[in-house]
Amino acid sequence: MNIIVKEGFAFRVSELANRYRANCNGEWGCFVTGDTKNLTHSKAEKAGLTRGNFVELAVCQISEKILTFEPHYQAEPFLEIWGFPVAGEMKNELPEKASQLVTFLLHRRSKDKMIGLVDTFAKEAFMAWVNEGMKGDANEYAFHKATELRFSKIFRFEFISETSPHGNYHWVKVETREPNSELDKAALLAAKEVCELYPTACTDSRLEENHLNNVGAVLPPAAAPNALPAGNGAAVAQIPAKTKASK
């Protein structure tokens, strides 16, 4: 375990991933932790397994994974989010001057919305490169500029309820805001330090194995796994396809 102290606030980085799940089904529309199988939302809430319908984070890392979760998801793309909560129930369970590194996945519509938002950082970085005279390598400039922008914003992930012909469902809306508290500012500093000094902290070995197995299953050996485009602030590990020799 690592403890990062910034501006009088403590940030815990555990060796075990503090993983939550975004449950978008029916009555749920909230983050959950632990085993909620066969539970209703109300029973899960009474058991202390729900964590509210929103969280605000200083984001450390965003990466794309190809994952299988039987029986519903077969080699499907997800976004893996890592960060320090500064608001919401994930934060409220911790002391006022503390936060800890957490992670969760976004899928389908929620994933697409997040990618679209992150792409705005790449666009801003590109425009800055052009306005500053197009000096140096555009991709390198865009990557560093977009990363700088990401570590200046607080991300809000909030469940939105909608109705379809198949019933009620939820998706996760993603927005950013400026830091407006001392905790926000300290969390952004801690998130940047994790990204720069402790990149392996944003790794869940079980998820990496799942991803590796699926990359090998859906891509030809010479292909690289899906990744967010360079310059949008995403940190995506390039994991080679699985071969017979690696089994």
Side-chain angles (χ1 to χ4, degrees):
M1 179 178 69
N2 290 306
I3 303 296
I4 299 172
V5 178
K6 295 291 183 183
E7 308 298 330
F9 293 87
F11 300 90
R12 177 175 177 265
V13 180
S14 174
E15 294 178 1
L16 297 176
N18 292 299
R19 180 167 295 282
Y20 295 87
R21 188 169 71 259
N23 191 330
C24 294
N25 293 326
E27 63 175 347
W28 290 79
C30 65
F31 291 101
V32 299
T33 184
D35 185 4
T36 59
K37 187 177 181 180
N38 298 324
L39 294 181
T40 63
H41 175 268
S42 60
K43 288 183 178 180
E45 187 174 29
K46 289 178 181 178
L49 299 178
T50 62
R51 291 297 184 272
N53 67 349
F54 82 95
V55 65
E56 293 186 352
L57 295 180
V59 171
C60 300
Q61 181 168 293
I62 305 164
S63 60
E64 187 161 352
K65 297 287 189 289
I66 302 173
L67 303 170
T68 290
F69 298 111
E70 298 285 1
H72 302 294
Y73 307 110
Q74 292 283 344
E76 293 197 30
F78 288 78
L79 276 189
E80 186 181 33
I81 311 296
W82 293 81
F84 291 110
V86 296
E89 290 188 21
M90 289 187 206
K91 169 64 183 79
N92 294 343
E93 65 181 349
L94 300 168
E96 180 181 354
K97 304 205 74 170
S99 188
Q100 65 179 355
L101 188 63
V102 303
T103 182
F104 53 86
L105 296 170
L106 296 180
H107 185 234
R108 295 178 179 168
R109 182 177 179 182
S110 305
K111 172 184 71 69
D112 294 342
K113 294 293 184 181
M114 180 66 181
I115 289 176
L117 176 62
V118 173
D119 188 60
T120 63
F121 296 160
K123 181 179 179 180
E124 288 185 42
F126 167 74
M127 293 173 66
W129 177 74
V130 172
N131 291 334
E132 293 176 16
M134 295 184 283
K135 299 176 182 178
D137 181 79
N139 288 327
E140 183 178 353
Y141 178 95
F143 176 80
H144 290 293
K145 188 68 174 180
T147 301
E148 178 183 307
L149 288 168
R150 177 158 59 87
F151 289 128
S152 69
K153 305 287 186 181
I154 296 296
F155 286 72
R156 181 182 176 92
F157 301 84
E158 182 174 10
F159 286 84
I160 303 298
S161 177
E162 293 193 6
T163 302
S164 75
H166 304 289
N168 294 332
Y169 71 98
H170 299 80
W171 59 281
V172 181
K173 181 180 180 180
V174 188
E175 297 178 318
T176 61
R177 63 169 175 81
E178 298 297 322
N180 57 26
S181 71
E182 294 305 311
L183 172 60
D184 289 350
K185 296 172 185 176
L188 288 170
L189 292 174
K192 185 176 182 180
E193 182 168 318
V194 167
C195 183
E196 294 176 347
L197 301 182
Y198 309 106
T200 58
C202 298
T203 302
D204 183 333
S205 59
R206 294 170 300 175
L207 216 62
E208 293 299 334
E209 182 178 2
N210 188 325
H211 171 72
L212 181 60
N213 289 336
N214 284 284
V215 168
V218 302
L219 295 179
N226 285 348
L228 295 177
N232 64 4
V236 181
Q238 296 297 315
I239 302 176
K242 190 173 182 180
T243 64
K244 291 183 179 180
S246 64
K247 290 182 179 179

